[in-house]
Amino acid sequence: MIEAPECVLVLRFSSVGDVILTAPAIEALHTAWPDTRIIYAVKEPLRHLVANNPHVHQVVSLGSGESLLSFSRRLRALGYGALLDLHGKIRSRLLRLLLPRTPRVIWHKRELSETLAVKLGFRTYKSRMPLADRYHLAVERLVGRGLKKGELRYYLGPEDQKIADQRLEAAGVDLRRPILGLCPGANWETKRWPAARFGELANCAIAQGHQVVITGGRSEVGLGAQISSVAPRVVDLSGQLDLKGLGGFISRCSAFVANDSGPMHMARALRVPTLAFFGSTDPGMFDFRGHAFMFAGVPCSPCSFFGRSRCPKGHFRCMLDLDAQQAWRSLAPLLALGRSAAVSA
Ligand code: SF4
């Protein structure tokens, strides 16, 4: 056990989902060391994900194009007394070589014994514990004792809802009526439930009186267009919301439907009842209490840790076996219960 330092530096540079998933661990750290300043280092484009977290005292962002040497100089100047590396990849490993040798704990996403057989194609992947619990264990190792777990929370900025509301109202969405949010994108192709099925699901919700709004990044506008071609009454905001607007928008939703992606974690952290589709990745990596997920459980699934650019078997049954009617049966109870389902879980 080490004595609580005046200041602790936490490293987690990306991605959206992973940064959001560190929130419970940061809360546990703050509770364990209430007088310690927590400094969070993250990539500049993701700064907003932690900027309003009340358990984080300072955010230091790594600018695009900034060298690790320059960044390490800025971090050294902070005079922190302990380091918690929740990134655990090559970038943070190189950075650590340039930083003072303070007490430190390095987080590992997976053990080699978990991954080798999957990489060699001998077996499918099964996570040993939720990722948020792994972050929590790293905090316990740093503090040197067992700790109460924190909650998965995402803290909006003061402008976020206003930004989203302006977009929604400009698109003709009535903020007094229920909104179902759809997010058909994901970084990897094999993590994407087909856009046409999102469209079929949207039609089920619209028939029951819900407004359906699509969100997604600029590179995902094509998915929004595919959904709109199946469900012409959806409102498509693909490519129109930045991180601030995305959080504000999700917080307005009665329920949210997404693939295994950053917005899916944001929705759960905002306590919006969420339905998620899993195929090539393992839903056991996350806690779905108060939410729902669909997983076909075909024998080859999950075949990867974070998704693939194409199905190595060619049939893509892990996603194609999930149809829109099944999805509607999973979604309807979440819509009926509304926000109370996710908040009380
Ligand atoms: S169908 Fe099987 S092999 Fe293909 S992407 Fe899905 S889990 Fe992987």
Side-chain angles (χ1 to χ4, degrees):
M1 184 184 303
I2 69 165
E3 228 175 85
E6 268 183 39
C7 179
V8 58
L9 174 65
V10 178
L11 306 177
R12 180 71 228 190
F13 298 117
S14 61
S15 53
V16 172
D18 288 295
V19 172
I20 289 171
L21 286 171
T22 63
I26 299 302
E27 182 189 336
L29 179 60
H30 180 48
T31 305
W33 286 346
D35 299 322
T36 295
R37 280 177 59 74
I38 297 177
I39 302 176
Y40 199 115
V42 66
K43 275 188 189 173
E44 175 59 34
L46 304 187
R47 179 187 186 94
H48 191 68
L49 294 177
V50 283
N52 300 287
N53 186 328
H55 309 296
V56 172
H57 301 87
Q58 185 178 350
V59 182
V60 189
S61 45
L62 173 63
S64 61
E66 181 174 9
S67 71
L68 288 183
L69 186 59
S70 154
F71 192 50
S72 69
R73 287 196 190 111
R74 291 202 286 131
L75 295 178
R76 277 173 174 271
L78 298 169
Y80 62 88
L83 185 143
L84 180 61
D85 181 353
L86 297 181
H87 195 73
K89 292 185 190 165
I90 188 78
R91 189 193 296 263
S92 62
R93 200 176 304 161
L94 291 173
L95 181 65
R96 289 197 318 261
L97 295 173
L98 303 168
L99 294 174
R101 292 209 58 80
T102 54
R104 55 182 60 188
V105 164
I106 319 300
W107 173 82
H108 296 287
K109 196 164 194 170
R110 299 173 187 92
E111 311 304 329
L112 185 65
S113 60
E114 269 185 284
T115 59
L116 194 59
V118 182
K119 281 182 179 163
L120 295 173
F122 293 149
R123 66 170 173 81
T124 57
Y125 175 57
K126 182 90 190 104
S127 174
R128 285 185 188 155
M129 72 174 81
L131 284 184
D133 288 1
R134 282 189 186 267
Y135 288 126
H136 182 80
L137 282 179
V139 172
E140 288 187 334
R141 277 173 49 217
L142 182 69
V143 172
R145 58 188 161 89
L147 300 172
K148 184 174 178 291
K149 285 181 188 165
E151 293 184 7
L152 180 65
R153 296 290 301 274
Y154 177 60
Y155 301 91
L156 294 176
E159 300 290 308
D160 298 7
Q161 276 198 333
K162 199 167 132 202
I163 292 168
D165 288 355
Q166 283 171 349
R167 286 278 182 194
L168 288 164
E169 285 182 323
V173 175
D174 182 348
L175 296 177
R176 294 162 304 180
R177 290 179 48 220
I179 301 170
L180 169 65
L182 302 185
C183 186
N187 282 344
W188 295 90
E189 198 64 39
T190 60
K191 289 166 94 174
R192 294 180 181 174
W193 194 49
R197 297 197 182 171
F198 271 96
E200 292 172 42
L201 182 63
N203 281 332
C204 294
I206 290 167
Q208 296 299 316
H210 295 276
Q211 302 174 102
V212 178
V213 179
I214 306 166
T215 187
R218 287 203 185 95
S219 62
E220 294 162 350
V221 291
L223 297 172
Q226 284 181 55
I227 297 175
S228 300
S229 70
V230 176
R233 289 172 60 199
V234 298
V235 173
D236 185 5
L237 295 186
S238 305
Q240 295 185 37
L241 296 172
D242 60 8
L243 267 189
K244 293 180 179 178
L246 176 64
F249 161 62
I250 293 174
S251 72
R252 284 281 184 228
C253 292
S254 308
F256 195 71
V257 182
N259 299 311
D260 176 11
S261 62
M264 182 272 283
H265 296 299
M266 191 182 280
R268 292 188 308 123
L270 284 166
R271 300 174 172 202
V272 174
T274 300
L275 171 65
F277 302 107
F278 282 81
S280 60
T281 54
D282 179 15
M285 292 189 286
F286 313 112
D287 178 358
F288 277 95
R289 281 174 295 173
H291 306 279
F293 67 85
M294 292 181 66
F295 180 68
V298 293
C300 53
S301 142
C303 67
S304 69
F305 310 118
F306 48 78
R308 296 173 181 271
S309 53
R310 63 183 177 81
C311 169
K313 301 276 185 196
H315 54 61
F316 200 32
R317 276 190 48 212
C318 62
M319 282 297 186
L320 295 180
D321 278 6
L322 305 175
D323 69 43
Q325 285 305 319
Q326 286 173 286
W328 176 246
R329 285 194 290 276
S330 297
L331 177 61
L334 295 180
L335 279 166
L337 285 170
R339 302 291 292 263
S340 59
V343 171
S344 61

